[in-house]
Amino acid sequence: MSQSDRELASTFVPADIEAPLYEKWMKAGYFTADAKSEKPPYTIVIPPPNVTGVLHIGHALDHTLQDALIRMKRMKGFEALWLPGMDHAGIATQNVVEKQLAGQGKSRHDLGREEFVKKVWQWKAESGGAILGQMKRLGDSVDWSREAFTMDENLSKAVLTIFKKLYDADLIYRAERIINWCPRCLTALSDIEVEHQDIDGEFVQITYGDPGETQISIATTRPETMLGDGAVAVNPDDPRYKDLVGKQVKLPYVNRMIPIIADELVDPEFGTGAVKVTAAHDPNDFEMAMRHNVPMVVIMNEHGVMSGTNTQFDGMDRFEARKAVVEQLRKDGRIGWEKRPYSHSVGHCQRCATIVEPRLSLQWFVKVAPLAKAAADAVRDGRVKIEPKEMEPRYFEWVDNMHDWCISRQLWWGHRIPVWYGPQGEVLVVGADEKAPDGYSQDPDVLDTWFSSALWPFSTLGWPADSDDLKKFYPTSVLVTGYDILFFWVARMMLFGLFAMDGKQPFHTIALHGLVRDQFGKKMSKSRGNTIDPIEFMDKYGTDALRFTLARGANPGKDQALAEDWVGGSRNFATKLWNATRFAMMNGATIDGELPSTASLNGIDKWILSRLSETISEVDSLLESYEFARACDRIYHFAWDDLCDWYLELSKESFASGDAKNSQRVLGYVLDQLLRLMHPFMPFITEQLWTTLTGGESLVIAQWPVANPDHLDQSSHKIIANIQEVITEVRRFRNDQGIKTSAKIPGRFVAPAEFAPYESAMRFVLKLEASDFTPSANLQIGSVKAEFDLTGTIDVAAERARLTKDLATAKKDLETANVKLNNQGFMAKAPAEVVVEIKERLAKTSADIERITSQLNSLPAQ
RNA sequence: GGGUGCUUAGCUCAGUGGUAGAGCGUCUCGUUUACACCGAGAAUGUCGGGGGUUCGAAACCCUCAGCGCCCA
């Protein structure tokens, strides 16, 4: 099909092109990577969204950046694999299905474990993974043939394999520890699944011991837990309590005698300087209890209801009990002061916001110290780079101080812990392809979801098998994700990746981006009502506009604000590009054959080729260093300012003349290259424009542009800069004089010979007619004089105002330059080229001042 | 308490030693044969305060103030 048969619609309607183009790409199999390929690999694994999730604006950003990288690398000739998939999201998914059951008045226990898990799978089949379809709308060039799910057979096998490997290396153990317990989800949580928030609580002073016996006053924010106290602790250096240490004091209501112990952990400044030690319900207390052999008394059941204290408080919810205990204490005259509200930090369940109960219980843990050390070293010695580098301290802060990781969850949805207990209390880890002996029963708990997602970079590639994919695509190239899951996920992949793959890091680079916030920079949340639905914006402005806006805001590691107006602005940009391409095609832009030799080109053509070359190398290197915002900025200004506002305007005259073969070829070339350069960010519109312009098969598999150093041409930059200055000044003059943009006026230039080739183009742009006239006004811009016939008078006041302003600016510049040149220190120490520059500036401003002054003097008096 | 970042035009943000920038918004003018989702022009900043280093600081150092995030 020849170019004349291909046409662009007169307006750009994103909805008309997006879905068909994505279909085309899928059918062509462009996104499917080949493990047998000779090309160098480039791999990104997607941060797996929750199976319960829908696409939010954060995904849109994350995916836009990954897709930009993958598309660029694919165009560069890499075997690019972007591997998609989802996470089974233990608690979140179980909650969804339990809620459904609750709607029918049932609980998971009514179904039983097996039936319930079946139900979850059924839910997944019917309503899980809504996000996958939405990824297609975003244009994600992921390899759907490799889509993975953390509960897939092979990924589950990877879980069993690593569990056994860790266990055999003594890196997994079972112990009774204080863990974070969610009384609503009824499961243990790891530290990072707990969110700390300040709440208005209370702080009360309570006296233990009866009058006449040993007495001591403690202060606490959790009075109800006094029933489980095993000791009272004071600082060993606190003189107030010196005599009491070692004595016993009677705990009210439970009437147990508990020791008063001394421990460094106690802050004498805090409260009364004496604290209660409730070993089974507080991590710090647990530590002290271990040191002093204090008994650990559990006083609540798994629902957070008081139990086993043998007091009147048994059966009360923990918060109810808090009130009741305080009331009773008050009645008994045991309360000193009470501070209420007392703001302090309290842990909440990340999934359901319930206040977490620290609780002594038997759980499985990963011993992280050696793993974390390896993970830290890999970054310290540069095997893994974190971009931007400023994020490294955060990473080290975490991996250097990581606590052992509680991995057991009292849930049904997830990978069941592969530990079997024998009739004599034997403990056996049953790996992949192994079977537990008869009479053994499996641990009922499942593993933390992050346990399986920590394996993602290699379990998705076929590990533990030594698969072709693993050989070709591991280690992955870059991990692109928000800094908010650096600890949840990224650090854990480092831990497990290095361990499982014998020290081979899971990725070469970790590229972190920020969060998307609302237009005022405020965090988005449902309660604030300021969330943005990416689908809505795609419907309204097109996917390319949304992607470009997000990429343009993506400074490494920094949050970005997003406003609807800005997406509209990107849509305008897309339309601009559409129209520029239409214009180019109408004017016979060609893509066939060699570019004409540089020597045969006019300065305008040389200039745009030079600018293109600069832009290509800048965008390329910015993209390679994850500077998405700056890359987009370069593209935007090249396309809109250089190409549309200047090149096309300055070339219109020659296109109209019908004799513009060279320029037609140059324009075709520039657009062809620009569309390639933009494709990673705006895949749909560029594909549509490029295939229409060039007749090529697809930009997805087209070659990435390479800057041509032969096109760099400084002299054309100089002349075009001068021309731009002349045009801008004349426009300003016309504007100040109230001459309509469309009005043609007689005008000409008196200029050095180097401007001669451009004079007609300049006159065309400025609507100046060449004719014989006696100038009634003129402007001097550098070495160029513009003369006009304004048929009589000019607006003297306007002209005086304009010149006066110019004069002020010039005088100020002159002053600045003079100050510098009169400064001996500057003359002595500043680099020569800076001195020359200032001297040139001085000369120019002096000339300007002289010229403007004389022009002002020659204006008729008012 | 530990870590970390920010404070630049009305808003959101770039800008790591040499005359302050962008997008959006604002004002004026304009339908000129790609585009009004457009074009042309304009206005707007003692770069948080104070001190220091330097010939020269928005940038480097110190300090104060305010805001934010992560962790405990």
Side-chain angles (χ1 to χ4, degrees), chain A residues 83 115 138 144 201 262 294 313 389 487 509 524 536 589 616 719 776 782 799 802 811 838:
Chain A
L83 199 152
E115 274 305 302
L138 258 182
W144 291 109
V294 171
F313 307 108
K389 214 172 160 48
F487 311 133
T509 301
M524 282 188 200
E536 196 183 301
I616 289 172
I719 187 80
S776 59
E799 188 59 358
R802 195 173 68 86
K811 278 185 171 167
I838 306 286

Side-chain angles (χ1 to χ4, degrees), chain A residues 551-571:
Chain A
R552 197 179 184 191
N555 287 113
K558 291 210 170 174
D559 290 353
Q560 66 168 301
L562 180 67
E564 179 161 0
D565 278 352
W566 309 343
V567 184
S570 296
R571 185 270 318 265

Side-chain angles (χ1 to χ4, degrees), chain A residues 187-321:
Chain A
T187 179
L189 303 171
S190 70
D191 289 350
I192 52 173
E193 287 165 302
V194 176
E195 282 174 2
H196 290 266
Q197 277 166 18
D198 281 351
I199 62 160
D200 284 340
E202 57 198 276
F203 194 37
V204 299
Q205 183 199 12
I206 305 170
T207 303
Y208 288 179
D210 292 332
E213 301 171 5
T214 303
Q215 284 192 307
I216 190 164
S217 283
I218 56 94
T220 181
T221 57
R222 299 204 55 193
E224 76 282 11
T225 62
M226 64 165 287
L227 304 170
D229 285 0
V232 170
V234 297
N235 190 286
D237 299 326
D238 195 330
R240 292 173 292 180
Y241 300 116
K242 271 240 142 70
D243 297 341
L244 287 174
V245 174
K247 295 207 166 134
Q248 301 264 322
V249 64
K250 188 151 85 182
L251 189 63
Y253 314 128
V254 289
N255 296 322
R256 200 166 55 226
M257 294 306 286
I258 57 172
I260 296 171
I261 61 171
D263 194 286
E264 299 282 355
L265 202 64
V266 181
D267 175 8
E269 305 292 321
F270 183 75
T272 61
V275 297
K276 55 203 281 307
V277 179
T278 319
H281 291 276
D282 182 282
N284 289 329
D285 293 5
F286 178 79
E287 266 184 54
M288 283 196 275
M290 293 285 275
R291 283 197 282 271
H292 301 274
N293 257 324
V294 171
M296 307 185 182
V297 187
V298 177
I299 55 160
M300 287 175 210
N301 65 16
E302 70 267 28
H303 299 281
V305 171
M306 308 301 288
S307 91
T309 68
N310 289 319
T311 62
Q312 70 266 37
F313 307 108
D314 277 358
M316 292 182 184
D317 173 78
R318 54 192 167 146
F319 301 114
E320 198 186 326

Side-chain angles (χ1 to χ4, degrees), chain A residues 646 722-736 766 779-782 786 788 802-803 806 851:
Chain A
W646 290 107
N722 284 330
I723 288 169
Q724 287 173 334
E725 195 190 352
V726 170
I727 289 175
T728 304
E729 283 303 308
V730 174
R731 279 172 175 165
R732 190 158 79 99
F733 172 78
R734 288 180 56 128
N735 220 287
D736 291 345
L766 289 168
L779 281 180
Q780 185 75 37
I781 308 117
F788 315 98
R802 195 173 68 86
L803 291 170
D806 286 355
R851 192 199 79 233

